[in-house]
Amino acid sequence: MGDLIGISLLILISALFAMSEIAIAASRKIKLRVMADEGNVKAAAVLKLQENPGAFFAMIQIALNAIAILGGIVGEQALSPYVKSVLVIFYQGAHVEKISFLFSFFTITSLFILFADLMPKRLAMIMPEAVAVRVVTIMRWVTFALTPLVMFFNGVTNFVLRLFKVPAEREDIVTTEDIVAMMDAGAEYGSLQQQEYELIGNVFDLEARFLSSVMTPRDQIVYFDLNESSHDIATKIIDHPHNHFLVVSGNLDKLRGSVESKDILRQVLKGEPANIKQELIETDVFYLPETLSLSEALNAFKSAAKPFAVVVNEYALSVGIVTVKDLMKGFMGDLITHQGDELIIQRDKNSWLVDGLTPITDLAKVLDIEEFPEQMHYETVAGFLIYNMKRIPKRAEHLTFSGFKFEVVDVEGIRVEQLLVSRVIPEPSTHTSLS
């Protein structure tokens, strides 16, 4: 009976070590860090163990191999008498000893495989962090108790690895691909809502998109001229209720500053004519180069604490104006887009009306296109057409790519105002074709 109790204890101890090995190895660092930040001391201990796992795994292998050897010795002696006593009832031949041994060996091996290996490892894989924080204290004490053996085997292992120029420790770097994979898994299982999924995905685009994709272009900027009449100033404020207006002397290349609309309205309420007085003009204009990414622009706004910025090109010419709201819309998308502001309007299942200034990355998401051809050369849908046609397209001209037809619906001067994007039968090649 004592041998049976001994083999049961060996199975339980082996299960503990096997479960600990898998749990600590499979525990996710991100989740453990969250638990540690919330005050879980054992989660911090698991993280520390993962940073230097050599001694831990050496201890595990020493323990598991020692238990396996003891299990083989004790197990055969524990079961063989019982098996033999049952077997002799049916068979008293010369091979009764061998049959008893084989049956005992098979039984002990099966018990170890099932209860000391498969089941505990499966349990540890299902909830690794929960198991790891429960066993880490025991494992640290056992590692300390076996320090001489652990140091010897761990040292030999490190020497062999260095001899073959193999890294002795794992370098954990969380890449963008890792985060995207976790996002996809979270969205698939419902733990991440659709809006949250899209928002986080848009954040990763901040470095890939530039100011030109979100700014108000030069030809759409509403500004005041120093010599503008009171009637024209009042009309612009009524038609375009912005908080700030640029003030120029003749054109946008002769920028003098900006003025707040409330200062003009204050004049009107006092019964005075709407005039651009010099004392109302804020001459400290915030400029940003058009080559900035959205991420860099957000950092610039954070440092400058300005409501808007004038976007300039390399020749110091004003090419547009951008506000913090424009940047926020660049990655928050539909979360802050009001009805009537949408750049992409779905007409039916297979067609969309698209504004020419729509960022090409936004359209790619809607159409489920991985990437447009040579996308680094343009930012907008209009830019996609112009770059591929090598000229300004005319009304009704179209281009096909990746199973979609991009047809010009409206052109204002040299600016592509609107397109109709329609799904067509995919062609054998996804190369761009013009007509």
Side-chain angles (χ1 to χ4, degrees):
M1 182 61 67
D3 289 338
L4 291 178
I5 296 174
I7 200 65
S8 300
L9 288 174
L10 287 175
I11 290 175
L12 289 174
I13 296 171
S14 181
L16 175 65
F17 284 107
M19 187 163 44
S20 301
E21 179 184 23
I22 295 298
I24 291 175
S27 293
R28 292 161 290 186
K29 288 183 179 294
I30 294 176
K31 190 167 184 178
L32 288 172
R33 286 195 182 99
V34 172
M35 295 169 67
D37 291 340
E38 293 174 350
N40 193 320
V41 178
K42 292 185 177 180
V46 176
L47 281 170
K48 188 176 181 181
L49 201 59
Q50 286 183 335
E51 291 173 2
N52 188 19
F56 167 71
F57 285 116
M59 178 274 295
I60 288 289
Q61 294 308 312
I62 293 170
L64 288 177
N65 281 279
I67 291 170
I69 293 170
L70 286 173
I73 296 172
V74 176
E76 188 272 331
Q77 296 176 352
L79 286 184
S80 291
Y82 298 100
V83 173
K84 183 178 179 181
S85 62
V86 175
L87 185 61
V88 294
I89 300 174
F90 308 98
Y91 175 72
Q92 292 88 20
H95 301 290
V96 65
E97 294 286 345
K98 293 180 179 180
I99 295 174
S100 300
F101 170 79
L102 290 174
F103 189 84
S104 299
F105 176 80
F106 175 77
T107 303
I108 293 297
T109 302
S110 299
L111 289 173
F112 267 91
I113 291 174
L114 286 173
F115 298 105
D117 198 57
L118 287 181
M119 290 181 64
K121 287 183 177 180
R122 286 282 296 276
L123 181 63
M125 285 297 296
I126 293 171
M127 44 184 183
E129 294 82 16
V131 174
V133 296
R134 284 172 171 79
V135 300
V136 65
T137 302
I138 299 174
M139 294 301 107
R140 291 175 68 184
W141 278 108
V142 175
T143 302
F144 177 77
L146 299 177
T147 297
L149 290 175
V150 168
M151 291 180 64
F152 172 75
F153 286 109
N154 193 38
V156 172
T157 302
N158 290 337
F159 173 76
V160 174
L161 290 175
R162 293 191 187 99
L163 189 65
F164 290 97
K165 297 181 179 180
V166 177
E169 295 181 3
R170 184 179 69 178
E171 185 177 1
D172 282 318
I173 300 176
V174 180
T175 64
T176 301
E177 289 75 15
D178 297 330
I179 299 174
V180 170
M182 287 188 285
M183 286 168 46
D184 291 339
E188 181 180 351
Y189 289 103
S191 58
L192 196 64
Q193 299 300 317
Q194 183 64 27
Q195 285 186 331
E196 297 171 333
Y197 176 77
E198 293 176 359
L199 179 59
I200 297 172
N202 289 341
V203 170
F204 288 112
D205 292 335
L206 290 179
E207 283 294 340
R209 292 179 60 181
F210 297 91
L211 279 179
S212 55
S213 68
V214 298
M215 70 181 185
T216 300
R218 178 188 178 101
D219 62 336
Q220 294 184 17
I221 296 176
V222 180
Y223 57 86
F224 296 149
D225 193 284
L226 285 173
N227 300 318
E228 201 153 10
S229 67
S230 298
H231 177 268
D232 290 341
I233 292 174
T235 301
K236 284 184 178 180
I237 292 179
I238 294 171
D239 294 340
H240 307 280
H242 301 314
N243 292 327
H244 297 83
F245 290 87
L246 295 180
V247 179
V248 305
S249 178
N251 57 59
L252 279 170
D253 296 324
K254 296 179 180 179
L255 188 59
R256 295 293 179 260
S258 65
V259 64
E260 289 192 62
S261 57
K262 66 180 182 180
D263 293 332
I264 307 297
L265 292 173
R266 191 176 289 115
Q267 292 178 344
V268 176
L269 291 175
K270 290 180 179 180
E272 302 173 2
N275 291 321
I276 307 298
K277 297 179 180 180
Q278 189 62 43
E279 59 267 22
L280 299 181
I281 300 176
E282 173 60 57
T283 57
D284 183 18
V285 180
F286 182 39
Y287 293 96
L288 290 176
E290 64 176 343
T291 54
L292 287 186
S293 67
L294 299 191
S295 177
E296 292 169 333
L298 280 171
N299 288 331
F301 268 104
K302 183 179 179 181
S303 301
K306 295 287 186 177
F308 72 94
V310 176
V311 184
V312 295
N313 61 15
E314 59 184 310
Y315 304 106
L317 298 177
S318 302
V319 296
I321 190 171
V322 65
T323 65
V324 176
K325 182 181 177 181
D326 294 329
L327 296 176
M328 297 296 287
K329 286 173 65 177
F331 71 93
M332 294 193 72
D334 294 337
L335 294 180
I336 61 171
T337 299
H338 302 289
Q339 189 172 5
D341 294 339
E342 297 92 339
L343 296 177
I344 303 174
I345 301 174
Q346 186 166 6
R347 297 171 68 247
D348 53 44
K349 184 179 180 181
N350 295 307
S351 65
W352 298 260
L353 279 175
V354 182
D355 191 287
L357 294 178
T358 303
I360 198 69
T361 52
D362 291 352
L363 185 62
K365 292 176 183 178
V366 172
L367 302 182
D368 197 21
I369 294 176
E370 185 172 345
E371 187 175 2
F372 280 82
E374 300 182 70
Q375 193 170 311
M376 73 290 297
H377 294 291
Y378 48 86
E379 291 280 345
T380 65
V381 179
F384 163 65
L385 288 174
I386 294 170
Y387 179 79
N388 285 280
M389 290 184 172
K390 309 302 179 186
R391 57 181 171 81
I392 305 298
K394 299 177 182 179
R395 186 181 287 107
E397 287 190 317
H398 70 270
L399 173 153
T400 58
F401 169 73
S402 192
F404 293 93
K405 177 182 177 182
F406 300 81
E407 182 179 357
V408 179
V409 175
D410 189 18
V411 178
E412 185 69 29
I414 61 172
R415 186 157 64 89
V416 178
E417 290 279 351
Q418 199 171 57
L419 300 90
L420 177 63
V421 180
S422 307
R423 194 189 307 274
V424 296
I425 299 175
E427 298 179 357
S429 173
T430 58
H431 293 300
T432 303
S433 62
L434 309 176
S435 63

